[in-house]
Structure formats: structure tokens, C-alpha cells
Amino acid sequence: SWNPFEDMIKDSSQTGITTRNLRMALYGLGGFSSSHVLKWEQYTADFIEGVYNSLSITDEIISDAVNDVGATIDVTEVNLSSARRRLRSQRNNLESSAYLLTYTQTTSYFTENRIGLGDILRHPFSSPTKRDRYVKYLIAASPLFETLTSVSAVFLPLNLEDSISAVKDGGDSFEEVETKYNSFFCHNSGSP
């Protein structure tokens, strides 16, 4: 479903598109400290760039058509969800709690194809195989993630168009985006 919004996105894609209110759940971790936040931001951005910028042995339309990807991630909120409150489809993770991360991702990329921003944001985590690869990547990258058992797909904001801004050539966003330091809030403890 291509529309004028996607044309605007494509015009700004090489300088960067900032998307707010993306979400992902992480299962199996005993805690999620500020060290976890910093490492998750770094490793997740590196993983996304690797999915698009590495030579692929599989024939994947999206990752093969999107190049020169740069990603920056800023966690804005961490919520702890107890196992009892989760969906039945996630029964295999009943013994652990989930950390639901809300984050902002700035993505720059080049494509000659009509691939929507939502597809580009979701693609690295869009199948169980890709999510398993990501979990193994995090575990290998840092002992902070050694108990991680699984992750969810990326949840896009309900209205994607209202959650994005384009980055100007100088690197400044058209809109001010809060940094993790003044917007990070843990609902479990009730304090920033």
C-alpha cells in the first residue's frame, strides 16, 4: 500500500527517518538495568545494520533491496510484565517475565524499490528464525543477555505517520526528540 507519505519517507531516507514509540518484548531476563539499556541499544542497532548491509545467502526481497543502512536506537521506556498477564500464545515463556521496551529508532537507508518504512523496521525481526538469530546474537555479544530466551516481533505505533520525523542533512531532526536521559521511566519502580 504505497501512498504520498511513503514518497516523503523515501525522499528523506538517506539522511534519516526517526520513528518514535516502537516496541519489543524481551523474555527470560532477570532484570533490565541501565547497562542493559545501553548495550541493547548498541547491539540492536548493529544487528539491524548487519541484516541489511551484509551479503545475504538467502534470497530475501526486503534485505536485498535495502542498502547503506544506518540505525540509532534510544530506549524511552521499560515496562516489566509478569508472566500471568501475558497472552496464551506465549505459554512457552510462562516461567519468566517480559520486559517491554519502547524506543525511538533513527534509520537511514537507500533503496530503489517501493519498500515501506514499516516493512524496513519490522523485517530484521519478522520471523521466528530471525528472532532466534537475534537472541543468539545478543547472548554472544554480552553476558548481560545470557538468560534471554526469546523476543517479540517489533510492534509499530498505531499511527505510524504521526510517529515519524525526517532528519535534516545537518543531522538535526525537524522535531525535537527526547533523549533517553530525560524520558526513560520504569513503571515498575515508579521513578525515572
Side-chain angles (χ1 to χ4, degrees):
S1 62
W2 199 260
N3 59 41
F5 165 74
E6 291 292 351
D7 284 329
M8 184 276 295
I9 294 289
K10 191 168 182 204
D11 290 344
S12 300
S13 64
Q14 288 182 283
T15 53
I17 302 295
T18 298
T19 310
R20 294 173 300 282
N21 299 316
L22 296 167
R23 290 186 174 90
M24 178 185 283
L26 282 69
Y27 301 96
L29 296 173
F32 207 82
S33 68
S34 59
S35 296
H36 285 88
V37 169
L38 293 172
K39 294 297 185 187
W40 185 83
E41 291 170 341
Q42 174 191 343
Y43 297 143
T44 301
D46 290 348
F47 181 81
I48 292 166
E49 290 173 1
V51 165
Y52 288 110
N53 298 335
S54 301
L55 290 175
S56 173
I57 56 170
T58 58
D59 187 24
E60 293 196 11
I61 294 170
I62 294 177
S63 57
D64 290 345
V66 179
N67 304 294
D68 300 324
V69 173
T72 307
I73 301 225
D74 291 302
V75 171
T76 55
E77 194 173 311
V78 175
N79 289 294
L80 176 63
S81 172
S82 68
R84 288 169 285 159
R85 294 171 39 202
R86 290 203 318 258
L87 301 174
R88 286 187 200 126
S89 64
Q90 297 165 339
R91 280 189 187 170
N92 59 334
N93 292 313
L94 278 180
E95 63 286 342
S96 65
S97 296
Y99 285 92
L100 180 63
L101 308 183
T102 303
Y103 61 97
T104 297
Q105 178 175 326
T106 300
T107 314
S108 59
Y109 59 93
F110 173 78
T111 185
E112 293 182 356
N113 300 56
R114 288 188 153 206
I115 297 173
L117 177 63
D119 291 331
I120 291 170
L121 295 169
R122 285 187 301 244
H123 177 72
F125 315 99
S126 61
S127 72
T129 301
K130 291 175 186 170
R131 291 190 293 275
D132 286 345
R133 190 177 306 137
Y134 172 62
V135 167
K136 288 176 182 162
Y137 176 84
L138 288 177
I139 290 170
S142 173
L144 289 171
F145 299 103
E146 66 188 358
T147 61
L148 183 66
T149 56
S150 62
V151 298
S152 71
V154 171
F155 301 107
L156 298 178
L158 288 176
N159 189 341
L160 185 60
E161 293 182 33
D162 290 342
S163 297
I164 65 132
S165 55
V167 176
K168 296 179 185 176
D169 280 327
D172 295 326
S173 169
F174 287 129
E175 298 175 26
E176 282 296 315
V177 177
E178 292 183 338
T179 67
K180 62 182 166 270
Y181 302 109
N182 63 16
S183 63
F184 181 83
F185 185 82
C186 181
H187 286 276
N188 201 39
S189 68
S191 62

